[in-house]
Amino acid sequence: MNEKINHQSLFHQCTIPSWLGGSVLRMGPGLFEVGGEPLNHLFDGQALIHKFDLKDGGVTYHRRFLRSDAYVRAMTENRVVITEFGTAAFPDPCKNVFSRFFTYFKGIEVTDNCSVNIYTIGEDFYAVTESNYITKVDPDSLETLKKVDLCKYLSVNGVTAHPHTDTDGTVYNIGNCFGKNMSLAYNIVKIPPAQKDKSEPLEKSKVLVQLPSSERLKPSYIHSFGMTDNYFVFVEQPVKINLFKFLSAWAFTGATYMDCFESNYSMGTWFHLATKDPPDYLNSHRFRTSAFNIFHHINTYEDQGFIVVDLCTWKGHEFVYNYLYLANLRQEWEEVKKAAVNAPQPEVRRYVLPLDVHRVEQGKNLVSLSYTTATAVLHPDGTVWLEPEVLFSGPRLAFEFPQINYSQRSGKKYSFAYGLGLNHFIPDRIVKLNVQSKETLTWQEDECYPSEPMFVAKPGATEEEEEDEGVLLSVVVKPGAQRPAFLLILDAVDLKEIARAEVDAIVPVTLHGMYRHPRTEQNNQDTS
């Protein structure tokens, strides 16, 4: 693959808005074969960073592979050297069985293949995955600058690729850690904004609050979390990481990250609350519901003594990532659909958590918000059982990779969410969801496969103006076309196409990213 491209793209169907400049930065896997051996899982591909520069009515496209240790060593040795999400490291043919055995005692090498997202810390840009490693990159040249180990600054084993960012640039995130008595727990961490003395914000980062794990040595998989003005919301799902497998089976039998996941069939799903200031875990608030997978939070906000939590869920215990092996996704369409029938059913759900759970009547619905059918009932054991309101549901159609007008509505009551429509796991549409009326709008085109739609607000828009005043940006793949990819620009109000910039190159799937405003410190980050 040609990784370095400077391609002046051609617009048709009108021109882009004059106010839309800056850059679209996207992360995703870009190389799915090393040394003639295919990688196994969608999340295994070596990280490729993409950039679409919008300027003076034109668009240029650039991309480069991230120079991670995983990438450089794989290219140098022509094999997978560091175990990825679903692909085990390939043995070094130059070592005999004894030397290979003793290398296991040097410790497990954790991947730094940061292919999932990109966001800012202070004034710097970092490509990230879900391990303890993040990679500093140059947003202009896309050069890899520095590998950073978060364990040097924070007590975490890794953090999510979906932090939350306050208006002042403060970054919040969550990851699992070792708590008391060597049990696993979850730490919510805080990284301050850019410092006036130009010092490194990471050096002043800290753990705010620790949340307990429902199982001592099996923390839940975490991909995102919720945050309001005053609270953090962590959803502990029944997909667990078996620490024993992680430390033993992986090292001695060549297992992968995927081999270390298992489901707890009895725990259901727990909602944990913590206050922001002062930071404190609310252990008296015990919220539980039926089992589901959760990867992306849409939005979380406070209203009249309740916390409203909107989520992209998948029903049941089975891990959805089991269906994202490349061998499954590359099958004929009919076979893909057959496999998806057995997968968990996706739904957009709204859960409502009452803040006052004391001195209330057992068996009675505690939710009094007039605009939702979600319920919360106190049980005799002190837990509050939650039942959701379904905001979106379709047969094997998921609303995923959600975005909102983050700068205006994150942590606040809102109306609109934008997402990628996954048809039997295949992204074939962009959907706008009105979370109040449940009405939807859709953009769809034959043989076109969009990516996460990023919302960019029109400059100067205030909270009094329309929440959806802006555009959506999505990188769309169109296999077999003369120009097989394009940057799509949609009006966020009605999802009508404004313009597209076609690229004369194959663009692999992208996962998450951000919009970088031109010559400003303000960035619209993907944090959902």
Side-chain angles (χ1 to χ4, degrees):
M1 174 184 289
N2 180 15
E3 64 162 325
K4 297 174 68 175
I5 293 179
N6 188 335
H7 181 84
Q8 185 70 41
S9 300
L10 177 67
F11 277 96
H12 66 84
Q13 294 188 23
C14 302
T15 57
I16 64 174
S18 59
W19 55 266
L20 186 61
S23 304
V24 177
L25 297 171
R26 301 286 300 172
M27 295 302 305
L31 183 66
F32 292 97
E33 182 178 296
V34 178
E37 294 293 327
L39 300 176
N40 296 330
H41 200 273
L42 177 64
F43 300 147
D44 290 344
Q46 293 298 320
L48 187 63
I49 181 170
H50 309 255
K51 182 176 69 157
F52 291 84
D53 282 324
L54 296 89
K55 185 178 180 181
D56 300 328
V59 178
T60 55
Y61 171 62
H62 312 259
R63 69 185 181 204
R64 296 192 74 168
F65 278 108
L66 199 70
R67 260 56 182 184
S68 64
D69 287 350
Y71 174 82
V72 172
R73 292 171 63 185
M75 295 301 99
T76 302
E77 301 187 33
N78 202 32
R79 64 185 179 90
V80 177
V81 180
I82 300 176
T83 294
E84 298 294 345
F85 203 73
T87 302
F90 198 80
D92 185 348
C94 297
K95 291 184 177 181
N96 61 34
V97 65
F98 297 105
S99 60
R100 290 180 202 166
F101 176 82
F102 285 112
T103 60
Y104 290 137
F105 294 95
K106 295 181 180 179
I108 295 173
E109 283 193 275
V110 176
T111 184
D112 63 342
N113 181 27
C114 298
S115 63
V116 180
N117 202 357
I118 183 170
Y119 60 81
T120 56
I121 296 176
E123 298 178 352
D124 298 322
F125 290 73
Y126 289 89
V128 302
T129 180
E130 295 177 330
S131 73
N132 54 298
Y133 294 116
I134 60 177
T135 303
K136 184 178 177 180
V137 297
D138 185 320
D140 296 314
S141 68
L142 306 186
E143 291 183 6
T144 300
L145 300 178
K146 182 182 180 183
K147 175 181 175 179
V148 176
D149 184 356
L150 291 174
C151 291
K152 294 181 178 180
Y153 306 97
L154 294 162
S155 177
V156 289
N157 299 323
V159 294
T160 79
H162 294 287
H164 279 285
T165 306
D166 271 345
T167 54
D168 68 351
T170 300
V171 175
Y172 299 90
N173 212 333
I174 187 172
N176 69 58
C177 64
F178 286 101
K180 296 178 180 180
N181 302 318
M182 287 301 292
S183 62
L184 271 294
Y186 312 97
N187 276 346
I188 295 176
V189 302
K190 176 181 179 180
I191 305 172
Q195 304 294 294
K196 292 181 180 180
D197 61 3
K198 301 300 181 180
S199 61
E200 172 59 64
L202 279 169
E203 294 178 353
K204 299 181 179 179
S205 59
K206 62 181 181 180
V207 173
L208 282 184
V209 62
Q210 187 169 106
L211 314 179
S213 172
S214 61
E215 290 190 76
R216 184 171 177 266
L217 295 178
K218 295 180 182 179
S220 290
Y221 174 68
I222 318 170
H223 193 75
S224 63
F225 66 107
M227 187 178 81
T228 73
D229 289 341
N230 300 296
Y231 295 92
F232 299 106
V233 178
F234 165 52
V235 180
E236 189 179 20
Q237 62 176 317
V239 175
K240 294 287 184 174
I241 303 170
N242 187 316
L243 185 63
F244 179 77
K245 288 183 181 179
F246 188 83
L247 295 177
S248 59
W250 186 12
F252 290 103
T253 65
T256 69
Y257 290 90
M258 281 294 293
D259 295 320
C260 299
F261 289 108
E262 61 183 44
S263 295
N264 182 317
Y265 295 95
S266 61
M267 70 168 278
T269 303
W270 291 89
F271 286 69
H272 298 269
L273 276 184
T275 53
K276 287 178 70 175
D277 188 17
D280 187 31
Y281 174 56
L282 301 183
N283 57 10
S284 61
H285 292 61
R286 303 173 61 213
F287 300 102
R288 192 183 183 195
T289 190
S290 55
F292 61 78
N293 282 211
I294 166 66
F295 306 105
H296 297 116
H297 286 242
I298 301 175
N299 198 14
T300 306
Y301 63 90
E302 302 165 45
D303 189 14
Q304 303 174 51
F306 299 91
I307 296 180
V308 179
V309 185
D310 291 349
L311 308 170
C312 298
T313 70
W314 300 76
K315 295 180 182 178
H317 311 86
E318 187 181 6
F319 198 22
V320 171
Y321 287 178
N322 291 335
Y323 293 85
L324 299 183
Y325 281 97
L326 294 173
N328 298 336
L329 298 176
R330 287 170 175 162
Q331 294 184 104
E332 295 295 328
W333 176 232
E334 291 303 317
E335 293 302 315
V336 171
K337 288 197 293 185
K338 286 181 182 178
V341 168
N342 298 319
Q345 170 68 22
E347 283 184 344
V348 175
R349 293 178 176 179
R350 168 166 289 175
Y351 289 91
V352 178
L353 284 57
L355 290 171
D356 185 3
V357 296
H358 307 288
R359 301 182 304 277
V360 295
E361 183 180 344
Q362 293 181 11
K364 179 182 178 182
N365 178 24
L366 307 179
V367 180
S368 58
L369 296 176
S370 61
Y371 56 81
T372 182
T373 58
T375 63
V377 177
L378 180 65
H379 283 192
D381 63 358
T383 61
V384 177
W385 184 265
L386 306 175
E387 288 292 343
E389 176 184 7
V390 176
L391 302 181
F392 177 89
S393 181
R396 306 303 161 191
L397 179 62
F399 179 97
E400 266 289 358
F401 295 84
Q403 292 280 293
I404 62 170
N405 184 339
Y406 189 85
S407 61
Q408 186 188 113
R409 301 291 176 163
S410 177
K412 298 177 175 61
K413 191 175 181 179
Y414 71 118
S415 297
F416 302 113
Y418 312 91
L420 191 59
L422 303 182
N423 180 9
H424 297 78
F425 294 110
I426 304 301
D428 68 353
R429 70 198 73 188
I430 293 171
V431 180
K432 177 182 181 180
L433 171 64
N434 186 321
V435 298
Q436 297 184 17
S437 68
K438 303 182 186 180
E439 296 174 325
T440 60
L441 294 174
T442 300
W443 177 91
Q444 191 172 19
E445 188 174 302
D446 289 343
E447 302 302 320
C448 286
Y449 305 97
S451 64
E452 168 193 63
M454 295 186 294
F455 178 84
V456 181
K458 187 175 180 179
T462 65
E463 292 192 20
E464 287 72 30
E465 296 181 19
E466 289 298 323
E467 175 187 331
D468 54 357
E469 193 69 31
V471 299
L472 297 179
L473 305 175
S474 178
V475 180
V476 182
V477 176
K478 191 172 185 178
Q482 183 177 0
R483 295 185 178 89
F486 57 90
L487 178 67
L488 176 66
I489 304 175
L490 300 177
D491 188 324
V493 174
D494 55 15
L495 264 55
K496 295 290 181 62
E497 182 174 331
I498 295 175
R500 65 176 68 183
E502 296 180 325
V503 180
D504 189 16
I506 296 174
V507 178
V509 62
T510 65
L511 299 175
H512 298 290
M514 62 177 290
Y515 173 73
R516 181 191 181 200
H517 290 267
R519 299 186 185 89
T520 69
E521 299 300 321
Q522 181 185 7
N523 292 291
N524 180 32
Q525 299 189 22
D526 165 31
T527 53
S528 59

